[in-house]
C-alpha cells in the first residue's frame, strides 16, 4: 500500500462532530469518516460540474422538486466518483471498495469545550456565534465540541490503482475540499474549518486557491470526457439553464450569473461572516437596527439561504387566553410557527447554497473567509411563508395577526431571490470592512 498524501491540518474554528451520542464529543477528535464525507460531497460536485458543462447532465422536474437529476444521471455520477476516481461504488454495475485508505494521526487529544461556554471563550471572536447557541437551545445536557487549534495529520494511502490520472485528481479534490468546507455541525457556516499548516509527501503543492480549483475543474473535464463510455449509459437530454444539483461549473445562467462562484473575504472576523445568516445581525449591520424590512424580507427571498427557516411566535396575552379557553386543538401548532415551511411532501430540508470556511494566518492558502456559492435547481417547488405583524401597543402578538402566503418556486423566482441574497452578502461584507474578491472562475 503506497503513501499518496500527508496533510497536516489544524482546526481554525470550534468544531462539533459528535460521537455515539450527538451531544458528546469523540475524545479522539476528528475521525477519518468526517473527512471521507467531505471528500465524496466535493467529488460529486466537481464531477457534476464537468458533466453539466459537457452537456451530460440536465435533470427534470418532478416529485415536488424544481429540478433534480434523472436516475441515469445519478448512476453516472456515482460511477465516475466511485469507480473512476476510486472512492468506492455501489450501484447498477455491482460494488467496488474504495481504492484509498485514510486515517487521522493526532498529535494529542483535542481540547474539549462545552458549546454553551463559548460565550466566555478567551478569544472574543468566538463569543457571539449563532450556530452554537442554536445547538444548545433547550438542551438539558451540555453539547460538547473541539476548540480551535487542534492539530492532526491526514494520511492517505492507495491500496490499488486502476485509473491513475483520475486517482490523482481525487487527491486534489480532497485537498480542495478541506480548504472550502469545514466538518461537523454548522460546517456550512464556517464551524470546524481546517487550516492546512503542513504538506507531507505526495501532497498537492499549490499555494494559490484559484490555481488549485482551476486544476481540479480542468482535469474533471478531461476525466469525464475520457471515461464517459464507462459511466454514461444514456442519451443526453438538452441541458437545463441551471444544473439540477450543486456543480463546480463555469457556465452562467442565461449568460448573466455564474452557477458556481468562489470568493475570498479578507479582513473579516469569523463571528461576522458566521452570523450573516441571522436576520437580526444582517439588519443590525446594514440598517443599525436588529429589526428591519430588507429585500430578503420584503420579497420573501430568505428561503434561498437554506430550508427550513423557522421561528416561533412569542405568545401575547390574547393568544395565551385563546389557548386557555380553547385548548391546544383550538390553534393548530403550525399557526405558531413563522418563517419558511416546506410544502413539498418529499423534501424535509435543503441546505444553504452558500458554504463558508474560515482560515487563519497559518493556512498555506492564506487567511480569511472562503465562500463557495452554488446556483442549482434542487429546491422544493412550493413553500409557505408564515409571518406576524407587530401590534401598535407593546410587543403583544395576536392570533389574527398571523399571516401566511404561498411561495411558488420557479426558475425565475429562484434566480431573482438568489441574486437578492448574494447582493445582501456582498453589502454585508462591505459594511463589516471585509475585502471581497472573486477567485473562481
Amino acid at each position: 500500500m503506497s503513501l499518496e498524501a500527508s496533510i497536516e491540518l489544524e482546526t481554525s474554528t470550534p468544531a462539533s462532530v459528535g460521537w455515539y451520542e450527538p451531544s458528546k464529543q469523540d475524545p479522539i477528535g476528528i475521525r477519518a469518516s468526517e473527512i471521507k464525507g467531505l471528500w465524496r460531497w466535493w467529488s460529486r460536485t466537481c464531477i457534476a460540474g464537468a458533466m453539466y458543462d459537457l452537456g451530460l447532465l440536465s435533470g427534470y422536474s418532478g416529485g415536488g422538486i424544481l429540478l433534480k437529476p434523472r436516475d441515469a444521471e445519478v448512476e453516472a455520477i456515482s460511477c465516475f466518483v466511485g469507480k473512476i476516481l476510486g472512492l468506492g461504488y455501489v450501484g447498477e454495475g455491482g460494488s467496488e471498495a474504495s481504492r484509498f485508505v485514510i486515517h487521522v494521526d493526532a498529535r494529542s487529544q483535542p481540547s474539549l469545550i462545552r458549546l454553551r461556554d463559548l460565550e466566555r471563550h478567551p478569544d472574543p471572536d468566538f463569543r457571539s456565534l449563532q450556530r452554537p447557541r442554536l445547538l444548545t437551545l433547550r438542551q438539558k445536557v451540555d453539547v460538547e465540541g473541539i476548540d480551535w487549534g487542534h492539530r492532526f495529520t491526514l494520511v492517505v494511502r492507495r491500496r490499488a490503482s486502476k485509473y491513475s490520472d483520475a486517482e490523482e485528481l481525487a487527491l486534489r479534490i480532497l485537498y480542495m475540499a478541506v480548504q472550502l468546507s469545514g466538518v461537523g455541525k454548522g460546517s456550512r457556516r464556517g464551524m470546524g474549518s481546517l487550516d492546512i499548516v503542513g504538506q507531507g509527501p505526495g501532497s498537492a503543492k499549490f499555494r494559490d486557491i484559484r490555481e488549485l480549483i482551476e486544476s481540479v475543474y480542468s482535469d474533471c473535464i478531461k476525466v469525464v470526457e475520457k471515461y464517459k463510455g464507462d459511466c454514461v449509459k444514456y442519451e443526453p437530454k438538452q441541458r437545463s439553464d441551471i444544473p439540477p444539483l450543486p456543480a463546480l461549473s463555469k457556465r452562467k445562467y442565461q449568460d448573466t450569473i455564474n452557477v458556481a462562484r468562489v470568493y475570498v473575504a479578507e479582513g473579516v472576523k469569523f463571528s461576522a461572516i458566521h452570523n450573516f445568516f441571522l436576520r437580526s445581525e444582517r439588519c443590525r449591520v446594514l440598517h443599525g437596527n436588529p429589526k428591519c424590512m430588507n429585500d430578503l424580507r420584503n420579497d420573501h427571498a430568505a428561503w434561498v439561504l437554506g430550508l427550513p427557516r423557522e421561528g416561533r411566535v412569542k405568545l401575547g396575552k390574547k393568544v395565551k387566553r385563546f389557548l386557555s379557553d380553547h385548548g391546544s386543538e383550538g390553534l393548530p401548532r403550525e399557526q405558531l410557527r413563522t418563517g419558511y415551511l416546506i410544502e413539498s411532501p418529499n423534501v424535509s430540508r435543503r441546505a444553504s447554497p452558500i458554504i463558508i470556511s474560515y482560515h487563519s494566518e497559518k493556512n498555506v492558502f492564506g487567511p480569511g473567509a472562503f465562500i463557495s456559492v452554488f446556483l442549482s435547481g434542487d429546491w422544493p417547488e412550493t413553500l409557505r411563508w408564515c409571518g406576524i405583524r407587530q401590534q401598535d401597543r407593546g410587543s403583544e402578538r395576536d392570533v389574527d395577526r398571523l399571516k401566511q402566503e404561498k411561495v411558488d418556486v420557479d426558475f425565475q423566482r429562484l434566480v431573482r431571490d438568489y441574486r437578492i441574497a448574494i447582493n445582501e452578502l456582498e453589502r454585508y461584507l462591505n459594511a463589516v470592512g471585509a475585502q471581497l474578491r472573486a477567485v473562481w472562475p
Side-chain angles (χ1 to χ4, degrees), residues 66-303:
L66 180 62
L67 191 67
K68 60 182 180 180
R70 293 180 291 144
D71 290 345
E73 294 169 340
V74 173
E75 171 63 24
I77 294 173
S78 296
C79 175
F80 279 117
V81 172
K83 286 187 173 183
I84 307 302
L85 296 185
L87 300 189
Y89 169 83
V90 176
E92 294 179 1
S95 62
E96 180 181 313
S98 174
R99 297 194 289 276
F100 294 98
V101 176
I102 69 175
H103 74 271
V104 170
D105 182 13
R107 293 186 174 183
S108 59
Q109 286 191 331
S111 175
L112 301 187
I113 56 173
R114 296 188 303 176
L115 296 189
R116 202 184 306 273
D117 292 343
L118 281 176
E119 295 181 356
R120 298 185 295 274
H121 196 278
D123 188 334
D125 196 25
F126 297 143
R127 293 176 186 170
S128 58
L129 303 180
Q130 184 264 347
R131 186 62 178 169
R133 289 179 179 176
L134 184 62
L135 290 172
T136 58
L137 188 65
R138 292 190 294 271
Q139 290 287 342
K140 295 182 180 180
V141 296
D142 287 321
V143 180
E144 298 176 341
I146 301 172
D147 205 355
W148 69 278
H150 171 53
R151 185 171 293 198
F152 61 95
T153 302
L154 180 66
V155 180
V156 184
R157 299 183 183 274
R158 183 159 44 179
R159 64 177 184 82
S161 180
K162 191 172 183 180
Y163 307 102
S164 60
D165 53 346
E167 291 152 7
E168 293 298 323
L169 168 62
L171 290 170
R172 267 177 286 140
I173 293 175
L174 171 61
Y175 202 63
M176 183 183 78
V178 296
Q179 273 297 279
L180 299 183
S181 289
V183 295
K185 305 179 186 74
S187 59
R188 289 201 174 216
R189 301 185 185 185
M191 289 188 66
S193 294
L194 303 170
D195 283 347
I196 298 178
V197 296
Q199 304 175 74
S203 300
K205 298 300 192 292
F206 290 94
R207 291 284 177 174
D208 180 78
I209 192 64
R210 184 189 185 284
E211 181 186 357
L212 174 59
I213 299 171
E214 181 61 31
S215 169
V216 166
Y217 171 81
S218 60
D219 281 0
C220 279
I221 293 289
K222 294 175 184 177
V223 164
V224 170
E225 284 186 316
K226 182 176 180 180
Y227 298 108
K228 63 183 178 183
D230 297 294
C231 293
V232 179
K233 307 296 183 182
Y234 55 89
E235 190 67 29
K237 304 287 186 179
Q238 181 178 354
R239 179 170 42 215
S240 52
D241 287 339
I242 59 176
L245 73 165
L248 193 73
S249 163
K250 283 190 174 183
R251 295 190 65 83
K252 294 184 177 182
Y253 171 77
Q254 297 182 351
D255 296 323
T256 60
I257 185 169
N258 294 93
V259 300
R261 197 76 159 155
V262 180
Y263 302 87
V264 173
E266 298 174 332
V268 60
K269 291 184 177 180
F270 174 56
S271 56
I273 186 64
H274 175 87
N275 289 337
F276 163 77
F277 297 89
L278 188 63
R279 178 178 168 232
S280 60
E281 184 65 10
R282 295 195 304 272
C283 288
R284 187 191 66 79
V285 169
L286 293 174
H287 303 281
N289 189 326
K291 296 180 180 180
C292 69
M293 296 298 290
N294 56 5
D295 289 342
L296 280 171
R297 169 76 179 202
N298 289 334
D299 297 325
H300 294 169
W303 61 271

Side-chain angles (χ1 to χ4, degrees), residues 61 66-67 240 242 253 377 409-416:
S61 297
L66 180 62
L67 191 67
S240 52
I242 59 176
Y253 171 77
V409 179
D410 55 19
F411 290 111
Q412 184 177 359
R413 177 70 182 256
L414 170 61
V415 173
R416 187 204 73 169

Side-chain angles (χ1 to χ4, degrees), residues 388-422:
I388 53 176
R389 283 186 176 177
Q390 194 82 10
Q391 290 199 20
D392 293 337
R393 59 183 190 281
S395 60
E396 184 176 304
R397 293 165 178 178
D398 204 354
V399 176
D400 58 7
R401 299 289 178 172
L402 288 167
K403 294 179 59 181
Q404 296 190 28
E405 292 184 18
K406 185 180 179 182
V407 178
D408 292 318
V409 179
D410 55 19
F411 290 111
Q412 184 177 359
R413 177 70 182 256
L414 170 61
V415 173
R416 187 204 73 169
D417 293 357
Y418 177 90
R419 287 180 187 273
I420 292 173
I422 300 307

Side-chain angles (χ1 to χ4, degrees), residues 264-269 272-273 369 371 425-437:
V264 173
E266 298 174 332
V268 60
K269 291 184 177 180
I273 186 64
I371 307 168
L425 173 63
E426 292 176 351
R427 291 191 297 112
Y428 176 90
L429 289 171
N430 182 65
V432 297
Q435 295 82 50
L436 183 67
R437 56 187 174 93

Side-chain angles (χ1 to χ4, degrees), residues 355-371:
I355 302 173
I356 294 169
S357 62
Y358 189 84
H359 300 286
S360 73
E361 295 282 353
K362 299 177 183 179
N363 188 45
V364 299
F365 288 103
F370 291 20
I371 307 168

